[in-house]
Amino acid sequence: RAEAAYARDVLGAFLRRAWRRSPTERELERKLKLFQRLRGSCETAAQALSEVMASSLASPNFLYVATAGDAGQLADHELATRLSLMLWCSVPDNELLALAERGRLREPEVLDAQVTRLLASPKSARFARRFVRQWLNMALLDYLEVDRKAHPKFDLALHRAMQREPIAFFAEVLREDLSVLEFVHSDFTMANERLADHYGADEVTGNDMRRVELRAEHRRGGLLTQGGLLAMNSDGTDSHPLKRGIWMLERLLDDPPPPPPAAVPEIDLADPRIAQMTLKERIEDHRNQAACRSCHQKIDPWGIAFENYDAVGSWRDDIDGDPVDAVGVLFNDQRLDGMNGLKRFLLLHRQDQLVRAMVRKLTTFALGRPVTFGDLAAIDEITAEVRRRGDGLATMVRVIVAHELFAAR
C-alpha cells in the first residue's frame, strides 16, 4: 500500500509537469494500473515508474501544445503553456499552472502581471536568444568562413562576440522597453572589449557584453551596422550587396523579393570588360539584362547602401584606392546615400512597415506557427495599438499576449 501511494504521488507530480496540467483522476488511475502491471517484472518500484513515465512522454498530452478546449480557443492550461513557451522557451511553472487551474489566467490584469514576472526572470534570456536567432537567421553567422588573408585581424574571439551582440542588443531593448525603431538606429550597442576594439570604441574592458554608447565616428547603431550581421551576409572576402539587401528586406521589412527566374545568367568575371568594373557597375550591368531587372531593381539599391562596410563589417572609405560608391537609387528615384541615407529613409518613410514586420515576426514566434491570411486583421490591430503606445518592444509583447489571437487555436 505504501508503494502504491508513493507511485500515485510521484506520477501525479510528474504528469502535471510533463503534460503542463494536472491529470484527471481517470488518467492517473490508468497510469497506476500500468505501474502495477509492470511492477512484477521490475526489480524495483523506481524501474516500473520509469517505464510509466516514458509512456507518458509518448502521449499527445506531452507532444502537442493544444489538445483540448473549445474549437476556437485554447484551454487555460494551454494558454499558460503558450505564454511560457514564448517567454521562457520552457514549460510553465507552478504559479502559471495554479492560475490556469483556478481559471484566473485570462483576467487581463493577471495575464499582464505574469508577462511582467516572466520577462523579469533570468529564464527570459532564452526568449531573446531563440527569437533573435530565428528572426535574423543567425545560423548564417555560425557557419561564417572569413578569408584570413584578406582579413587577418578576424579571430575566434571577434566571431563569438559578433554572435552575442544582436541577442544582447535585443535583450537590452526588451528590458528597457525601448522603441523597436532602435533596431534601425540607436545611440548604443552591446559589446565586449574585443568587439568594441573592432568598432573603434574606447574604455571597454573584459569579455562581458555591456551597453556601449556610440558616437558619430563609430558609424554604428541598430542592427544594420552590427559586425556579425554584416559579416554573415558577405562572401567572407568582400561585401555582398545582394545578400545584404535581401536579408534586410526579409528580416526587417518582411518584404522578401520575388524568387529569381529560371536560368538566370551569372556575372562572367572572366570577361575583361566586366573584370575592370567596380562592384556597383557590375550589378548595374547585370540588372540591364531583362531576365534580371525585375528582381534587382528591388534589391540592389538597399544592398549598395551597405558598401562602406567590408566583409567583416569594418568601415572603409575606399576599395583598392577608389572611393566607395554607396549611393543606391530606389525605383521611385529616392536616393539612399549610404548607411545614413538608408536609415533616414526607413525612419522617415517606413516606420509603419518596420513595426508591422516586427509584430508579424514576434507573433509567429509566439503562436509557434506561420501567420495566415486570416490572422492579418489581428496583426494590423496589434500594430496600431503598439504604434499608439510608443512602439516599445516589451509593450509589443504585452499587446500580442493580450490580443485574442494569442489565446486562439
Side-chain angles (χ1 to χ4, degrees):
R1 180 171 297 189
E3 191 172 85
Y6 172 73
R8 173 179 282 272
D9 291 342
V10 170
L11 289 175
F14 177 80
L15 292 176
R16 187 173 188 268
R17 188 73 170 158
W19 291 357
R20 285 107 41 203
R21 64 172 175 82
S22 295
T24 65
E25 187 62 27
R26 183 179 179 184
E27 289 169 333
L28 185 55
E29 286 297 330
R30 289 176 61 186
K31 294 301 179 184
L32 288 171
K33 288 180 180 179
L34 177 60
F35 168 76
Q36 294 295 342
R37 288 201 302 270
L38 294 172
R39 181 66 183 91
S41 60
C42 296
E43 293 183 4
T44 65
Q47 289 179 347
L49 282 172
S50 295
E51 294 295 328
V52 177
M53 290 176 181
S55 72
S56 302
L57 300 182
S59 166
N61 293 302
F62 174 76
L63 297 174
Y64 297 97
V65 172
T67 59
D70 298 334
Q73 194 174 53
L74 297 178
D76 287 347
H77 68 273
E78 294 169 344
L79 179 61
T81 297
R82 177 169 284 178
L83 181 62
S84 183
L85 288 177
M86 177 190 180
L87 299 182
W88 280 359
C89 300
S90 183
V91 296
D93 63 1
N94 286 332
E95 183 171 336
L96 266 180
L97 288 176
L99 288 169
E101 289 166 354
R102 296 202 303 269
R104 296 201 57 204
L105 187 56
R106 295 182 189 277
E107 297 174 16
E109 298 82 4
V110 173
L111 186 59
D112 190 68
Q114 288 303 304
V115 172
T116 299
R117 183 178 72 86
L118 267 61
L119 286 177
S121 169
K123 294 180 183 179
S124 65
R126 302 169 187 164
F127 167 47
R129 182 172 61 254
R130 296 191 183 184
F131 172 71
V132 171
R133 285 185 56 81
Q134 292 180 34
W135 170 37
L136 301 180
N137 193 24
M138 287 183 63
L140 294 173
L141 186 53
D142 296 343
Y143 300 102
L144 174 67
E145 294 185 5
V146 171
D147 184 342
R148 298 297 295 274
K149 292 182 179 179
H151 305 282
K153 294 183 178 180
F154 186 86
D155 56 20
L156 181 60
L158 179 57
H159 187 190
R160 288 177 174 171
M162 287 177 168
Q163 290 174 308
R164 296 165 64 188
E165 182 184 14
I167 298 169
F169 184 71
F170 178 92
E172 179 72 5
V173 173
L174 179 66
R175 181 167 45 250
E176 299 295 329
D177 195 22
L178 301 178
S179 168
V180 295
L181 298 178
E182 297 277 339
F183 294 133
V184 176
H185 182 68
S186 64
D187 59 6
F188 75 95
T189 192
M190 304 296 288
N192 61 8
E193 182 176 356
R194 181 66 187 90
L195 187 60
D197 179 68
H198 183 65
Y199 291 162
D202 302 326
E203 301 178 356
V204 178
T205 58
N207 192 46
D208 292 336
M209 304 296 285
R210 83 290 309 271
R211 182 166 174 149
V212 176
E213 303 303 319
L214 297 172
R215 301 186 298 273
E217 60 266 29
H218 295 140
R219 301 181 177 91
R220 306 287 165 177
L223 295 173
L224 298 177
T225 54
Q226 290 189 5
L229 303 181
L230 290 163
M232 75 183 195
N233 287 301
S234 73
D235 63 9
T237 302
D238 201 354
S239 62
H240 200 300
L242 297 183
K243 285 185 178 180
R244 290 173 176 178
I246 292 171
W247 176 86
M248 192 205 74
L249 289 169
E250 289 180 341
R251 304 295 159 176
L252 266 65
L253 292 176
D254 193 28
D255 185 23
V264 173
E266 296 184 2
I267 297 176
D268 183 10
L269 296 179
D271 185 333
R273 179 183 67 86
I274 293 177
Q276 294 176 359
M277 294 180 179
T278 65
L279 178 62
K280 185 177 179 181
E281 289 171 341
R282 291 174 189 170
I283 291 173
E284 290 174 345
D285 182 73
H286 187 66
R287 189 167 62 231
N288 286 335
Q289 301 181 55
C292 307
R293 187 176 302 114
S294 61
C295 290
H296 282 270
Q297 283 181 331
K298 185 174 183 180
I299 301 169
D300 295 353
W302 305 105
I304 289 170
F306 287 83
E307 272 302 278
N308 281 113
Y309 298 90
D310 68 11
V312 295
S314 297
W315 179 268
R316 59 187 179 182
D317 291 306
D318 62 82
I319 302 175
D320 297 330
D322 295 321
V324 172
D325 184 354
V327 178
V329 181
L330 297 176
F331 66 92
N332 59 357
D333 294 329
Q334 171 71 47
R335 281 171 56 93
L336 303 179
D337 193 357
M339 182 53 65
N340 286 339
L342 171 58
K343 290 181 177 181
R344 188 179 303 110
F345 176 79
L346 292 175
L347 293 175
L348 287 176
H349 303 290
R350 295 294 181 92
Q351 284 194 20
D352 287 343
Q353 185 177 358
L354 286 161
V355 176
R356 189 180 190 278
M358 190 71 198
V359 167
R360 182 162 179 161
K361 299 288 186 180
L362 200 52
T363 301
T364 299
F365 183 85
L367 299 180
R369 63 166 176 80
V371 171
T372 66
F373 180 79
D375 300 324
L376 298 185
I379 296 296
D380 289 340
E381 291 172 0
I382 293 170
T383 302
E385 180 65 13
V386 171
R387 299 244 60 196
R388 187 184 69 80
R389 293 170 58 176
D391 302 325
L393 180 57
T395 297
M396 183 180 292
V397 171
R398 295 178 188 280
V399 174
I400 290 172
V401 170
H403 197 276
E404 61 184 9
L405 177 61
F406 187 76
R409 289 190 175 278

